[in-house]
């Protein structure tokens, strides 16, 4: 597995292949979040085929937000998400950020386990609906 910098358009095409991301963001949302702020778009490739993505952006001079990421179903279980996370953390640290923030949901227990296992700490929760599976779990990691 290798990762490279990618584009918004590549991410949008990959999102369509991820069943859990059934409400994709429009192009305007990506542009609003990423234009005019430092950001990193990673595309993971396995044998030349796009297999996953991870998108994050600067919140300020010290904090970076790991916003959106997923591994396509055919490539799960290969450690790609962990590799992208490690690559993102390295890049973020090299840019001088000191904190990575991320939100996940109860409905993604594998993501929560990975983040906790990689040193992220639960710092808050947002009730996004009456359904506990949709609660947003906020995590942070100091670099």
């Amino acid at each position: 597995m290798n990762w490279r910098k990618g584009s918004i358009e590549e991410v949008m095409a990959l999102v369509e292949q991820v069943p859990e991301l059934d409400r994709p963001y429009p192009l305007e949302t990506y542009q609003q979040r990423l234009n005019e702020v430092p950001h990193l778009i990673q595309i993971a490739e396995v044998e030349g085929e796009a297999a996953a993505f991870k998108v994050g952006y600067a919140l300020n001079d010290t904090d970076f937000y790991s916003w959106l990421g997923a591994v396509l179903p055919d490539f799960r279980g290969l450690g790609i998400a962990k590799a992208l996370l490690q690559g993102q953390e390295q890049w973020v640290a090299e840019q001088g950020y000191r904190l990575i923030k991320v939100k996940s949901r109860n409905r993604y227990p594998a993501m929560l386990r990975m983040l906790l296992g990689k040193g992220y700490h639960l710092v808050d929760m947002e009730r996004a609906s009456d359904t506990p599976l949709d609660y947003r779990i906020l995590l942070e990691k100091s670099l």
Side-chain angles (χ1 to χ4, degrees), residues 79-90:
I80 295 171
K82 288 179 185 175
L84 285 175
L85 181 63
Q86 181 178 357
Q88 183 183 64
E89 289 177 358
Q90 181 178 344

Side-chain angles (χ1 to χ4, degrees), residues 42 54 64-67 81-82 84-90 92-93 98-104 111-124 137-143:
Q42 297 168 280
K54 191 158 192 67
F64 190 86
Y65 182 56
S66 183
W67 174 37
K82 288 179 185 175
L84 285 175
L85 181 63
Q86 181 178 357
Q88 183 183 64
E89 289 177 358
Q90 181 178 344
V92 167
R98 296 192 300 254
L99 185 71
I100 296 182
K101 298 181 176 195
V102 63
K103 291 180 188 176
S104 191
M111 174 64 79
L112 292 169
R113 284 191 301 272
M114 180 186 72
L115 291 168
L116 291 170
K118 292 296 183 180
Y120 287 75
H121 299 283
L122 174 66
V123 295
D124 205 356
I137 310 300
L138 298 114
L139 302 107
E140 294 180 351
K141 180 177 182 177
S142 295
L143 300 174

Side-chain angles (χ1 to χ4, degrees), residues 10-124:
E10 287 177 293
V11 170
M12 291 181 71
L14 291 170
V15 164
E16 292 181 11
Q17 300 175 56
V18 179
E20 296 87 351
L21 301 177
D22 56 354
R23 290 177 279 166
Y25 293 110
L27 176 62
E28 295 77 25
T29 300
Y30 289 95
Q31 292 170 333
Q32 289 169 353
R33 290 200 185 210
L34 302 178
N35 284 353
E36 300 182 29
V37 297
H39 62 273
L40 176 64
I41 299 173
Q42 297 168 280
I43 303 293
E45 295 179 332
V46 174
E47 297 181 6
E49 185 176 350
F53 65 90
K54 191 158 192 67
V55 181
Y57 57 89
L59 294 171
N60 55 48
D61 290 341
T62 60
D63 300 349
F64 190 86
Y65 182 56
S66 183
W67 174 37
L68 184 63
V71 178
L72 301 185
D74 289 347
F75 297 97
R76 293 180 183 169
L78 301 175
I80 295 171
K82 288 179 185 175
L84 285 175
L85 181 63
Q86 181 178 357
Q88 183 183 64
E89 289 177 358
Q90 181 178 344
W91 184 89
V92 167
E94 289 170 358
Q95 306 310 306
Y97 299 100
R98 296 192 300 254
L99 185 71
I100 296 182
K101 298 181 176 195
V102 63
K103 291 180 188 176
S104 191
R105 294 179 188 253
N106 275 333
R107 72 174 58 249
Y108 306 125
M111 174 64 79
L112 292 169
R113 284 191 301 272
M114 180 186 72
L115 291 168
L116 291 170
K118 292 296 183 180
Y120 287 75
H121 299 283
L122 174 66
V123 295
D124 205 356

